[in-house]
Amino acid sequence: AFLTAIGDKNHRAMLALEHMFAPVLDGAVSTLLGVLMLAGSEFDFIVRYFFAVLAILTVLGVLNGLVLLPVLLSFFGPCPEVSGYQ
């Protein structure tokens, strides 16, 4: 979405984030709902090494995709593949 958007880097990062926000957030919420069942396990090993790890990785992945990557693209992103409407 960033490479095919038209405009400066900040505008393209904003358009890419608008395009990808809902799918990334939906995937994270569905993953957290699936992993949430592990939190009720009576085995401490399952809670500590499966639930906690998967929940933290999901949250870090969402922060990476919705915060860090758009900021990095707006600063250091490549030039667009398209130059305008033809």
Side-chain angles (χ1 to χ4, degrees):
F2 181 79
L3 289 175
T4 58
I6 298 170
D8 64 344
K9 289 181 183 178
N10 289 332
H11 183 69
R12 290 175 26 221
M14 183 184 67
L15 290 175
L17 188 58
E18 286 177 4
H19 182 71
M20 294 303 299
F21 183 81
V24 169
L25 198 61
D26 288 345
V29 169
S30 66
T31 301
L32 285 174
L33 286 176
V35 169
L36 188 63
M37 300 301 144
L38 294 173
S41 175
E42 59 189 44
F43 298 108
D44 189 43
F45 178 83
I46 299 294
V47 174
R48 183 177 295 158
Y49 293 107
F50 287 103
F51 168 71
V53 171
L54 291 174
I56 290 170
L57 283 175
T58 304
V59 170
L60 287 176
V62 168
L63 289 175
N64 181 46
L66 297 180
V67 178
L68 179 66
L69 287 179
V71 170
L72 289 178
L73 284 173
S74 68
F75 286 127
F76 307 111
C79 296
E81 289 183 347
V82 294
S83 60
Y85 297 110
Q86 297 175 354

